[in-house]
């Protein structure tokens, strides 16, 4: 049972380059999320998708775009990477009911030089 | 603004003793609270939760206490084991789509 799978695990970009982080879940969850984790800041929500076909901004959406490709997959795109986007990115999913715990992927360590 | 704060970046305890991790929040609209545990190179995993209508929830060695008037919650681990060494995140939610996390506390349990 894979749960939430993220790719890649590590990535180094130059300023201005673009890339897409991929996420897939096999738990038939309705809701999916992208978080970033920075030292001393905890996890902050970038974007979420409450259900297939919908996406909404979270706490820190600037510089990112997302696509909910289908119920399983939710991708995060950096169009023009900046050093401030150096972070660890986590994808998560939940059934989408109220007061549900989140299931997280193992993370992507991204460095922007 | 950080609405969920974990003021202790690290905590070290002896095996077999109690570990107490603390968390404060500022938003009185939060009505559901969770603790997640994170090992290196892994994503956070759910540990225990509590609804705002309760003041205590217990699951084996883990107990979460909620003091709404003080906007404070704590996680007690008794007895602590070396395998409990990890980073613990406190989280609070109004609904699933606005779950706020603290910065985490690194717990080290020494044999």
């Amino acid at each position: 049972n894979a749960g939430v799978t993220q790719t890649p695990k590590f990535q180094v970009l130059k300023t201005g380059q673009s890339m897409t982080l991929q996420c897939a879940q096999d738990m038939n969850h309705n809701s999916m999320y992208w978080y970033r984790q920075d030292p001393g800041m905890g996890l902050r929500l970038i974007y979420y998708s409450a259900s297939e076909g919908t996406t909404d901004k979270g706490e820190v959406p600037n510089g990112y775009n997302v696509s909910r490709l289908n119920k399983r997959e939710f991708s995060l795109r950096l169009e023009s990477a900046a050093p401030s986007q150096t972070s660890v990115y986590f994808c998560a999913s939940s059934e989408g009911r109220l007061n549900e715990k989140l299931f997280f992927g193992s993370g992507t360590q991204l460095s922007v030089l | 603004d950080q609405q969920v704060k974990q003021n202790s970046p690290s905590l070290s305890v002896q095996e077999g003793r109690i570990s107490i991790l603390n968390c404060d929040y500022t938003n009185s609209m939060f009505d559901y609270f969770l603790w997640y545990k994170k090992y290196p190179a892994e994503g956070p995993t759910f540990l225990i939760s509590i609804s705002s209508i309760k003041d205590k929830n217990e699951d084996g060695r883990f107990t979460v206490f909620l003091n709404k008037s003080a906007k404070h919650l704590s996680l007690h681990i008794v007895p602590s084991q070396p395998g409990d060494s990890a980073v613990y995140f406190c989280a609070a939610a109004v609904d699933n789509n606005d779950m706020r996390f603290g910065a985490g506390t690194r717990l080290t349990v020494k044999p």
Side-chain angles (χ1 to χ4, degrees), chain B residues 10-32:
Chain B
S10 62
L11 174 67
S12 181
V13 300
Q14 208 66 32
E15 182 180 5
R17 306 294 291 269
I18 185 171
S19 295
I20 300 176
L21 294 90
N22 293 304
C23 178
D24 298 295
Y25 61 95
T26 58
N27 188 345
S28 57
M29 296 298 291
F30 288 139
D31 61 3
Y32 194 62

Short mmCIF file of all heavy atoms in Angstrom, two decimals, chain B residues 10-32:
data_model
loop_
_atom_site.label_atom_id
_atom_site.label_comp_id
_atom_site.label_asym_id
_atom_site.label_seq_id
_atom_site.Cartn_x
_atom_site.Cartn_y
_atom_site.Cartn_z
N SER B 10 13.34 21.96 21.12
CA SER B 10 13.85 20.63 21.40
C SER B 10 13.55 20.25 22.85
O SER B 10 13.35 21.10 23.71
CB SER B 10 15.36 20.55 21.14
OG SER B 10 16.05 21.44 21.98
N LEU B 11 13.54 18.94 23.08
CA LEU B 11 13.29 18.38 24.41
C LEU B 11 14.04 17.06 24.50
O LEU B 11 13.99 16.25 23.58
CB LEU B 11 11.79 18.14 24.59
CG LEU B 11 11.34 17.43 25.87
CD1 LEU B 11 11.61 18.33 27.07
CD2 LEU B 11 9.87 17.06 25.80
N SER B 12 14.72 16.87 25.63
CA SER B 12 15.45 15.62 25.85
C SER B 12 14.99 14.99 27.15
O SER B 12 14.92 15.68 28.17
CB SER B 12 16.96 15.91 25.90
OG SER B 12 17.68 14.71 26.09
N VAL B 13 14.63 13.71 27.09
CA VAL B 13 14.17 13.00 28.28
C VAL B 13 14.83 11.62 28.36
O VAL B 13 15.32 11.10 27.35
CB VAL B 13 12.64 12.84 28.32
CG1 VAL B 13 11.95 14.19 28.30
CG2 VAL B 13 12.17 11.98 27.17
N GLN B 14 14.81 11.06 29.54
CA GLN B 14 15.37 9.72 29.75
C GLN B 14 14.30 8.68 29.43
O GLN B 14 13.11 8.88 29.69
CB GLN B 14 15.81 9.60 31.21
CG GLN B 14 16.94 8.64 31.46
CD GLN B 14 18.26 9.09 30.84
OE1 GLN B 14 18.54 10.29 30.74
NE2 GLN B 14 19.06 8.13 30.41
N GLU B 15 14.75 7.58 28.87
CA GLU B 15 13.83 6.47 28.61
C GLU B 15 13.07 6.09 29.88
O GLU B 15 13.63 6.02 30.97
CB GLU B 15 14.64 5.26 28.11
CG GLU B 15 13.79 4.05 27.76
CD GLU B 15 14.61 2.87 27.26
OE1 GLU B 15 15.86 2.95 27.28
OE2 GLU B 15 14.01 1.86 26.85
N GLY B 16 11.77 5.85 29.71
CA GLY B 16 10.93 5.47 30.83
C GLY B 16 10.26 6.62 31.55
O GLY B 16 9.30 6.43 32.28
N ARG B 17 10.80 7.84 31.33
CA ARG B 17 10.20 9.01 31.97
C ARG B 17 9.10 9.59 31.09
O ARG B 17 8.87 9.14 29.98
CB ARG B 17 11.29 10.06 32.24
CG ARG B 17 12.48 9.55 33.02
CD ARG B 17 12.12 9.15 34.44
NE ARG B 17 11.78 10.30 35.27
CZ ARG B 17 12.64 10.97 36.01
NH1 ARG B 17 13.93 10.64 36.00
NH2 ARG B 17 12.25 11.98 36.75
N ILE B 18 8.44 10.63 31.60
CA ILE B 18 7.38 11.29 30.85
C ILE B 18 7.95 12.38 29.94
O ILE B 18 8.86 13.11 30.33
CB ILE B 18 6.32 11.89 31.80
CG1 ILE B 18 5.14 12.47 31.02
CG2 ILE B 18 6.94 12.94 32.72
CD1 ILE B 18 3.97 12.88 31.90
N SER B 19 7.42 12.45 28.72
CA SER B 19 7.73 13.55 27.81
C SER B 19 6.48 14.43 27.73
O SER B 19 5.37 13.91 27.54
CB SER B 19 8.06 13.05 26.41
OG SER B 19 9.23 12.28 26.40
N ILE B 20 6.66 15.73 27.87
CA ILE B 20 5.54 16.67 27.76
C ILE B 20 5.89 17.70 26.70
O ILE B 20 6.86 18.45 26.85
CB ILE B 20 5.24 17.37 29.10
CG1 ILE B 20 4.88 16.33 30.16
CG2 ILE B 20 4.09 18.37 28.92
CD1 ILE B 20 4.65 16.92 31.55
N LEU B 21 5.11 17.70 25.64
CA LEU B 21 5.31 18.66 24.55
C LEU B 21 4.15 19.65 24.57
O LEU B 21 3.00 19.26 24.70
CB LEU B 21 5.38 17.95 23.20
CG LEU B 21 6.59 17.02 23.00
CD1 LEU B 21 6.30 15.61 23.45
CD2 LEU B 21 7.03 17.04 21.55
N ASN B 22 4.48 20.91 24.44
CA ASN B 22 3.49 21.97 24.60
C ASN B 22 3.21 22.72 23.30
O ASN B 22 4.08 22.80 22.42
CB ASN B 22 3.94 22.97 25.66
CG ASN B 22 3.98 22.35 27.03
OD1 ASN B 22 2.99 21.82 27.51
ND2 ASN B 22 5.14 22.40 27.67
N CYS B 23 2.01 23.28 23.23
CA CYS B 23 1.57 23.99 22.03
C CYS B 23 0.57 25.07 22.45
O CYS B 23 -0.30 24.81 23.28
CB CYS B 23 0.93 23.00 21.08
SG CYS B 23 0.27 23.69 19.56
N ASP B 24 0.74 26.26 21.91
CA ASP B 24 -0.19 27.36 22.17
C ASP B 24 -0.79 27.85 20.86
O ASP B 24 -0.14 27.79 19.82
CB ASP B 24 0.53 28.53 22.85
CG ASP B 24 1.08 28.14 24.20
OD1 ASP B 24 0.28 27.84 25.09
OD2 ASP B 24 2.32 28.11 24.35
N TYR B 25 -2.02 28.32 20.89
CA TYR B 25 -2.65 28.84 19.69
C TYR B 25 -3.34 30.16 19.99
O TYR B 25 -3.64 30.46 21.15
CB TYR B 25 -3.62 27.82 19.08
CG TYR B 25 -4.77 27.43 19.98
CD1 TYR B 25 -6.02 28.07 19.87
CD2 TYR B 25 -4.65 26.40 20.91
CE1 TYR B 25 -7.08 27.70 20.68
CE2 TYR B 25 -5.69 26.04 21.72
CZ TYR B 25 -6.91 26.68 21.61
OH TYR B 25 -7.97 26.32 22.41
N THR B 26 -3.56 30.94 18.95
CA THR B 26 -4.14 32.26 19.15
C THR B 26 -5.55 32.38 18.60
O THR B 26 -6.31 33.25 19.04
CB THR B 26 -3.25 33.33 18.49
OG1 THR B 26 -3.13 33.03 17.08
CG2 THR B 26 -1.86 33.36 19.11
N ASN B 27 -5.92 31.53 17.65
CA ASN B 27 -7.21 31.65 16.98
C ASN B 27 -8.28 30.87 17.74
O ASN B 27 -8.26 29.65 17.78
CB ASN B 27 -7.09 31.13 15.55
CG ASN B 27 -8.33 31.39 14.72
OD1 ASN B 27 -9.39 31.71 15.24
ND2 ASN B 27 -8.20 31.25 13.42
N SER B 28 -9.24 31.57 18.32
CA SER B 28 -10.27 30.90 19.12
C SER B 28 -11.26 30.12 18.24
O SER B 28 -12.11 29.39 18.76
CB SER B 28 -11.02 31.91 19.97
OG SER B 28 -11.58 32.91 19.15
N MET B 29 -11.15 30.28 16.91
CA MET B 29 -12.04 29.53 16.01
C MET B 29 -11.57 28.10 15.79
O MET B 29 -12.32 27.27 15.28
CB MET B 29 -12.12 30.24 14.66
CG MET B 29 -12.75 31.62 14.72
SD MET B 29 -14.45 31.56 15.30
CE MET B 29 -15.24 30.75 13.91
N PHE B 30 -10.34 27.79 16.15
CA PHE B 30 -9.86 26.42 15.99
C PHE B 30 -10.74 25.49 16.82
O PHE B 30 -11.00 25.76 18.00
CB PHE B 30 -8.42 26.28 16.45
CG PHE B 30 -7.41 26.92 15.54
CD1 PHE B 30 -6.33 27.62 16.07
CD2 PHE B 30 -7.51 26.82 14.16
CE1 PHE B 30 -5.38 28.21 15.25
CE2 PHE B 30 -6.57 27.40 13.32
CZ PHE B 30 -5.51 28.10 13.87
N ASP B 31 -11.19 24.39 16.20
CA ASP B 31 -12.04 23.48 16.96
C ASP B 31 -11.57 22.03 16.89
O ASP B 31 -12.25 21.13 17.38
CB ASP B 31 -13.50 23.59 16.50
CG ASP B 31 -13.68 23.23 15.04
OD1 ASP B 31 -12.69 22.85 14.39
OD2 ASP B 31 -14.81 23.34 14.54
N TYR B 32 -10.43 21.81 16.27
CA TYR B 32 -9.91 20.45 16.18
C TYR B 32 -8.40 20.54 16.21
O TYR B 32 -7.81 21.38 15.52
CB TYR B 32 -10.39 19.80 14.89
CG TYR B 32 -10.21 18.31 14.84
CD1 TYR B 32 -10.85 17.48 15.74
CD2 TYR B 32 -9.41 17.72 13.87
CE1 TYR B 32 -10.69 16.10 15.69
CE2 TYR B 32 -9.25 16.35 13.80
CZ TYR B 32 -9.89 15.55 14.72
OH TYR B 32 -9.74 14.19 14.67
#
